[in-house]
Amino acid sequence: MVDVSVIMAAHNEEGTIGDSIQSILAESSVDLELLVCADGCTDGTLDIVREAAERDARVRVFANRTALGSGASRNRLIREARGTYLAVQDADDISLPGRLAKQMNIISGDSALTLVAGSARILDTAGVRAEERLLPVASPQEAVRMLRQGRMPFVHPTVLLKRDAALQCGGYDVACVRAQDLALMLRLNLSESEIAIVDDSLVMYRLPGQRSLGAIARNLKGRRLAIQRNSSGVSLPGRLFALGPLWMIRVIPTWLVERHRWRRR
């Protein structure tokens, strides 16, 4: 057993995964393991991960022969993990020094907590660090409010949570190719008392290049699907958003019919 299992799914990330792995292994004050799943990689990603495992016994290597997706890969790593807690790390992001120690100091001191998250520094596609903070969530109350609206309140790679909670909720929803992070948070159905926020940046988060309208539309569609499939804790406005542009066609006629019936009574 270890304290923290860091899970990393990677598909053809040979240009960034080495630095990402090193940023985790540099944290020597936390008892950790790093589980990496090379998801159907056709470049040098798997070789880089295996070389890291030869240098450091804390690295455990897994590989999918064909690409199953990040959700299925992460779920595999969750099942294989030996830690009490899980930390998420993307293969193109960098954990800042002391990230895990800060989170462990908080969550290990309060048994009611399920999840600790924080904000991030932006890392552009050229690897240049910016000072802009991304999604600095102010409080657990704000996080719960955003989740009820069907919005992701955390930068996904800043999340550290109890492994048992991830297993009990079923892990990542593999049907959600996009917005898997939101789907997981909705599945966890967290209350304010189960969330803690680190008032600091925990990772350098790599933003994609200039996004096309098509990519933005696909992300919105992914968010809608995540809400549709995991909507138990989502408010009515969030559920209406999940219905998409046709929600007015579906909902308003029904409302008008009911209103007409009521007025005729």
Side-chain angles (χ1 to χ4, degrees), residues 28-77:
S28 58
S29 63
V30 175
D31 183 20
L32 65 87
E33 63 175 359
L34 172 60
L35 291 79
V36 185
C37 183
D39 184 31
C41 295
T42 57
D43 64 354
T45 297
L46 183 55
D47 292 334
I48 294 171
V49 178
R50 284 172 172 163
E51 290 172 4
E54 291 176 359
R55 295 191 303 268
D56 195 315
R58 293 177 294 173
V59 180
R60 299 172 60 197
V61 185
F62 302 86
N64 300 329
R65 291 187 177 181
T66 59
L68 303 179
S70 58
S73 298
R74 290 184 181 123
N75 284 341
R76 178 183 181 183
L77 298 181

Side-chain angles (χ1 to χ4, degrees), residues 142-252:
E142 181 184 358
V144 170
R145 178 179 60 80
M146 292 178 66
L147 286 170
R148 284 188 54 77
Q149 294 171 349
R151 298 162 56 203
M152 180 65 180
F154 317 117
V155 180
H156 188 214
T158 72
V159 167
L160 182 143
L161 73 158
K162 289 179 177 177
R163 176 172 176 264
D164 286 347
L167 289 171
Q168 289 169 9
C169 78
Y172 289 89
D173 187 342
V174 296
C176 297
V177 177
R178 296 174 184 267
Q180 290 177 353
D181 50 357
L182 173 60
L184 176 63
M185 293 302 111
L186 294 177
R187 283 183 166 194
L188 289 169
N189 196 23
L190 299 170
S191 65
E192 295 174 4
S193 63
E194 296 176 288
I195 299 172
I197 307 297
V198 178
D199 186 23
D200 200 358
S201 296
L202 301 178
V203 302
M204 288 193 289
Y205 180 72
R206 194 179 302 271
L207 290 178
Q210 186 175 5
R211 293 192 298 173
S212 65
L213 291 177
I216 294 172
R218 288 191 293 273
N219 287 339
L220 287 174
K221 184 177 180 180
R223 180 183 161 201
R224 291 191 180 105
L225 180 62
I227 297 171
Q228 290 169 3
R229 291 177 54 83
N230 306 277
S231 62
S232 61
V234 180
S235 63
L236 179 59
R239 295 187 187 194
L240 291 178
F241 167 83
L243 292 176
L246 297 179
W247 74 267
M248 290 186 292
I249 298 175
R250 300 175 186 177
V251 175
I252 290 179

